[in-house]
Amino acid sequence: MKKLFSLALALSLGAALFAQEKKDVTLNIVPLPQHVQIKNGSFNINGNTKIVFDSDEDKKVAALFQDFLKSNYNLNLSLVKSVGKNSIYFSSKNANPSNKEAYELNIASDQITVKGKEAGLFYGMQSLIQLLPVDKKASIEIQQASIQDEPRFAYRGLHLDVGRHFFPVAFVKKYIDILASYKLNTFHWHLTDDQGWRIEIKSHPKLTQIGGYRNQTLSGNYKTDGDYDNTPYGGFYTQDQIKEVVAYAKSKYVTVIPEIEMPGHALAALSAYPELGCGDKPGPYTAAQTWGVFDDVFCAGKEETFKLLEDVIDEVIPLFPSEYIHIGGDECPKTRWKTCPYCQKRIKDNNLKDEHELQSYFIQRMEKYINSKGKRIIGWDEILEGGLAPNATVMSWRGDQGAIDAANQGHDVIITANSYGLYFDHKQGADQNREPLSIGGLSTLRKVYTADPMPTKISENNKKHVLGVQANIWTEYIGSSNKVEFTILPRVLALSEIAWTKPEKKDWKNFSEQRAARQLAKIDQTSTFYRVPEVYGIVDTTVYASEYTIRDLKPSVEGAKIYYTLDNYDPSELDLEYTGPVKVSVPNSKERVFKAVVVTASGKRSNYIRVNIINTKK
Ligand code: ACM
Ligand code: ZN
């Protein structure tokens, strides 16, 4: 009897533990925190709840939370300095001294405490915001729990190309808000390219006056059906606007890394200062009107090139507190350098082997200049060509080799390659016919989520050089801020989780069907665009059967509905609602097509998923 009793006890304890573990992953936070303990009961935020802070820095974060409750839940809570019952307490006292991005969030019956320093406190607040209910009118009950959290990687980045298309300051700030809400901490601002120079440089005003504009732009797909729009296009940020964005980012604990492209991707700069192209009679050049890689690059032989770029750097550095300046270095054809007397003389005078070593000379010379100003460089992985600059950090984008070489040589590395789904300009679903125009490639939500951005071929003791991960948003085919939002959401949620959460804790089903689905339901209530993921539970497939039951479908957005057709027409909210298993009966020698879509509360639709059911019986 005693044995039986203890067995039963052990079983129920086991069940309780199991339930506890199961429950652990049900807090709807993205990225998933490292440690969560769920407790019984909840904390109720009501009109009498006080928001409490300790230091002035803590007050900033507390005030952000106060604003969020006011604008989203119509709750105007007071901000006070004394702790009591029914309070939400933001404090940097006793915060983790070794990691300023770590935080603790304790939700008890009579108090919520958010503990962290600076970014950590802010991230604790972001987690708390994510725990607020989707229904803005419901009473606010927060599950009691205790969270200890810190990031896996110190560098968690998102890039935006404003060269191919320009985006206004207000949108750049919104973009920073999106980054920060998922605990990303770096905004890589790609400010110059062939198609436009977007940062005011007072000593060389033509860079924006001329280089900030192009006469027309290719519309459509440049490989197949593109044609020019015959419409001038351009824009740039003044230095005051840049300062405004950098200060805004700082208030959200986001570092802005500026990118000034060299020696390639320089046509816009050359259109303003053609004398910096190769040869004795360079130019004329125009800012590029189409996409791709162009042969006209900065001349590496002329001193004037370095003079201009150093002047640019002199103005860029005071605008950006970032430790890093990104100097591009990618996709620089050597065509012009091969026949340019200035470039050839530079090669000879410096005993360089070839044009690849000339590229290395260029980057190393700029690195030395930037280092002399107290900053470090980052460049795309081509900066490895012809020898890596001594203190450079490498952004590995062409697969893993750049990352492996750089890390094994003791250099820091950021992983951005699309082998990990990190080129967010690539399409989000396999069938281009169901997707908006994009540059091609494939980066699905699942591909991003399941990636572990730690190349296995980097030796164990060099893995510390992988500082983190970043997704890139190139904007050749992204001309509106709505499309930028569609491009990053929901993939940013997956990016945040691979950047923040330990890989062994990741769980695609829990992420996609529950936590991301919850966050998307919240985004669905706002004016922000996003791509509604396809229905979960089926994939595009063909089955051979006379009868087939579609079951276990789940919407990709919490609270959204699933609709389907059986006649091969594209489904919408006008069709049949999926509420349980659907039995499809197929006559002999016939085929039926089941297509299902997700339709959200705001009316947004996913792409359909299709199941062909073929009865081969005669
Ligand atoms: C790049 O995609 N050219 C870095
Ligand atoms: Zn040259």
Side-chain angles (χ1 to χ4, degrees), residues 278-279 299-301 337 340 342-343:
C278 279
C299 177
W337 290 359
C340 169
Y342 301 93
C343 285

Side-chain angles (χ1 to χ4, degrees), residues 433-549:
N433 295 325
R434 298 178 220 175
E435 297 293 327
L437 176 60
S438 75
I439 202 152
L442 184 63
S443 159
T444 62
L445 180 64
R446 187 168 189 156
K447 178 173 174 180
V448 181
Y449 188 81
T450 48
D452 178 9
M454 177 55 79
T456 48
K457 286 193 182 142
I458 295 180
S459 63
E460 216 41 56
N461 59 340
N462 283 326
K463 288 201 161 127
K464 61 178 181 291
H465 289 300
V466 177
L467 301 184
V469 56
Q470 170 176 296
N472 299 330
I473 290 79
W474 303 104
T475 58
E476 288 92 334
Y477 297 101
I478 305 175
S480 71
S481 36
N482 291 354
K483 198 167 175 184
V484 175
E485 292 170 6
F486 174 92
T487 300
I488 63 170
L489 291 167
R491 287 182 290 187
V492 154
L493 278 70
L495 170 69
S496 81
E497 196 139 317
I498 64 174
W500 182 281
T501 308
K502 296 225 164 74
E504 59 272 20
K505 289 204 161 271
K506 286 193 304 176
D507 176 339
W508 164 249
K509 197 169 162 63
N510 171 263
F511 168 79
S512 57
E513 293 179 11
Q514 186 175 324
R515 288 181 295 114
R518 164 69 59 92
Q519 297 313 318
L520 292 180
K522 290 185 168 189
I523 295 169
D524 195 63
Q525 296 173 330
T526 70
S527 59
T528 301
F529 284 81
Y530 68 100
R531 181 184 185 276
V532 180
E534 291 85 347
V535 60
Y536 295 127
I538 46 169
V539 291
D540 278 357
T541 184
T542 299
V543 293
Y544 296 91
S546 57
E547 197 174 281
Y548 188 74
T549 302

Side-chain angles (χ1 to χ4, degrees), residues 35-50:
H35 306 284
V36 177
Q37 265 182 301
I38 306 265
K39 303 191 174 152
N40 289 326
S42 58
F43 177 92
N44 174 247
I45 303 182
N46 55 41
N48 298 321
T49 307
K50 301 265 186 297

Side-chain angles (χ1 to χ4, degrees), residues 101-112:
E101 294 192 307
Y103 71 92
E104 287 179 32
L105 175 57
N106 281 296
I107 301 149
S109 62
D110 56 353
Q111 191 180 59
I112 295 179

Side-chain angles (χ1 to χ4, degrees), residues 422-434:
L422 297 169
Y423 265 50
F424 282 6
D425 53 334
H426 290 195
K427 63 182 185 292
Q428 303 192 55
D431 184 351
Q432 181 62 71
N433 295 325
R434 298 178 220 175

